[in-house]
Amino acid sequence: MGIGIESSCDETSIALVEAGKKLLSLKIYSQIENHAPYRGVVPELASRSHLEKINLLLEECLIEADVDWKDIAYIAVTTHPGLMGSLMIGAQLARCISLVHSIPIVPVNHLEAHLAVVSLEEEIPSFPWLGVLLSGGNSSIYRYSDWGNLQLIGDTMDDALGEAFDKVSALLDLPYPGGPVVEKEARKFFDRTDKPKGSLFPRLLKESTYDKIEFSFSGLKTAVLYHVRGKPKEDLDIPRICHDFQKTAFELVTRNISKAVKNTGIGTVVCAGGVLANSILREELEMVAKRQDWTLLYPSKKILCTDNGAMIANLGFYLWQKGFTAPLNFKVSPKRSFSQTI
Ligand code: AMP
Ligand code: MG
């Protein structure tokens, strides 16, 4: 079995996973309340909170799973991308455990771990996959050829999708993070009998050339801004705005996935990241996958969509099996693309 340590952003998490399959214990401390007053993650507050919580979570995890150090074969730790100060807290814990108990360290790419976590829940089709990552910091599509082997084939030109949810929520004077509350408001619109026809916002990137796979959400965010600017809150149809915002954004997501399937001929699509907690997006993706006959996978448990140590321990297992271990002086990096050269 292996330990997974996650501290790249605003969740501190430790997990124990057996053979990349069985989740023995998972502890997560979410810092949302620390950052909510600022409507975004404050790096210094994040590092301090990781430092305060991480040892406690490790202890709780070990007690819950009732395991002995001698049973632990590897320590998987997020090394990139993320906030430097935060990554260093997890890295230092991994170094300590490794030094004291002589257990090898497996450096893990946080973004790959988000995609790989589906293997914890079900039997997975063989590689290659298309990996679609929709989170607070990413809207990207990867060709995922093997454990530790991904190439970026589509990316955002500006905002990430989760970030757009957070900004739209702020424009509507709704809480942070925006995703869950925007989804809840959009649901209210679904239940109406007197729905107005048409969308408040234009279709995204409708002129984009066939082969290019790109996301852009800043125009949609600006369209929401122009729609609400100068209007008193009581004059705004918040459920309709949330619904039309989501619908417009999700249409670009499904269009880009369909393009990627067509361009690459890869029929297995793995979706992950915080935005996948959105049930309306899940339903939309299910519908398109069925219609266009590709295999769709995403973490069924919403807790596995947001940042967690289980995904780190899970991918760590496959990387450890392939011999991807690192010495104690391994590095961490804020970069998405980074390989250990020490
Ligand atoms: P992550 O970056 O993977 O930790 O995910 C956090 C991002 O996911 C934030 O930007 C949230 O607003 C977004 N998010 C969380 N839940 C939902 C949801 N139900 N719908 C849309 N976005 C969501
Ligand atoms: Mg997070």
Side-chain angles (χ1 to χ4, degrees), residues 9-36:
C9 189
D10 58 348
E11 271 90 21
T12 320
S13 181
I14 310 273
L16 277 159
V17 168
E18 198 174 302
K21 277 278 153 256
K22 193 168 168 211
L23 181 56
L24 301 176
S25 171
L26 169 61
K27 298 288 162 194
I28 304 177
Y29 175 78
S30 167
Q31 302 175 0
I32 281 178
E33 280 183 13
N34 308 34
H35 303 293

Side-chain angles (χ1 to χ4, degrees), residues 108-290:
V108 169
N109 172 347
H110 176 91
L111 305 180
E112 183 185 352
H114 265 301
L115 298 170
V117 78
V118 288
S119 66
L120 196 56
E121 289 192 319
E122 54 191 311
E123 275 311 308
I124 44 160
S126 52
F127 287 113
W129 309 340
L130 284 173
V132 181
L133 198 64
L134 301 168
S135 67
N138 294 274
S139 301
S140 29
I141 303 188
Y142 291 87
R143 184 195 160 91
Y144 196 170
S145 307
D146 196 358
W147 308 116
N149 184 356
L150 307 98
Q151 298 95 40
L152 189 66
I153 60 167
D155 203 3
T156 181
M157 296 187 291
D158 40 62
D159 290 359
L161 182 52
E163 184 184 0
F165 269 89
D166 295 335
K167 287 177 177 169
V168 164
S169 176
L171 289 174
L172 299 175
D173 207 15
L174 296 172
Y176 171 87
V181 65
V182 169
E183 178 182 359
K184 198 164 149 216
E185 290 295 326
R187 279 260 174 228
K188 292 184 193 163
F189 183 81
F190 271 132
D191 299 336
R192 275 195 203 158
T193 46
D194 59 333
K195 287 191 201 69
K197 289 224 162 27
S199 175
L200 295 171
F201 311 116
R203 196 167 179 244
L204 296 178
L205 294 178
K206 58 178 188 292
E207 308 299 339
S208 91
T209 53
Y210 180 71
D211 279 340
K212 238 180 171 175
I213 298 166
E214 49 193 23
F215 295 94
S216 169
F217 297 108
S218 75
L220 176 57
K221 179 189 69 191
T222 308
V224 177
L225 169 69
Y226 287 164
H227 180 78
V228 305
R229 199 162 58 177
K231 291 192 186 115
K233 200 173 173 187
E234 52 279 12
D235 288 356
L236 296 175
D237 184 347
I238 304 242
R240 184 179 181 199
I241 297 170
C242 291
H243 170 270
D244 288 2
F245 158 75
Q246 269 200 180
K247 197 171 165 50
T248 308
F250 293 165
E251 193 272 331
L252 180 61
V253 170
T254 51
R255 187 159 26 113
N256 273 342
I257 297 176
S258 304
K259 243 189 213 183
V261 170
K262 259 198 178 144
N263 289 0
T264 62
I266 298 173
T268 303
V269 180
V270 176
C271 297
V275 184
L276 257 291
N278 189 300
S279 310
I280 302 170
L281 174 60
R282 289 167 174 234
E283 288 159 21
E284 201 86 3
L285 288 167
E286 296 276 7
M287 236 160 47
V288 179
K290 204 164 165 205

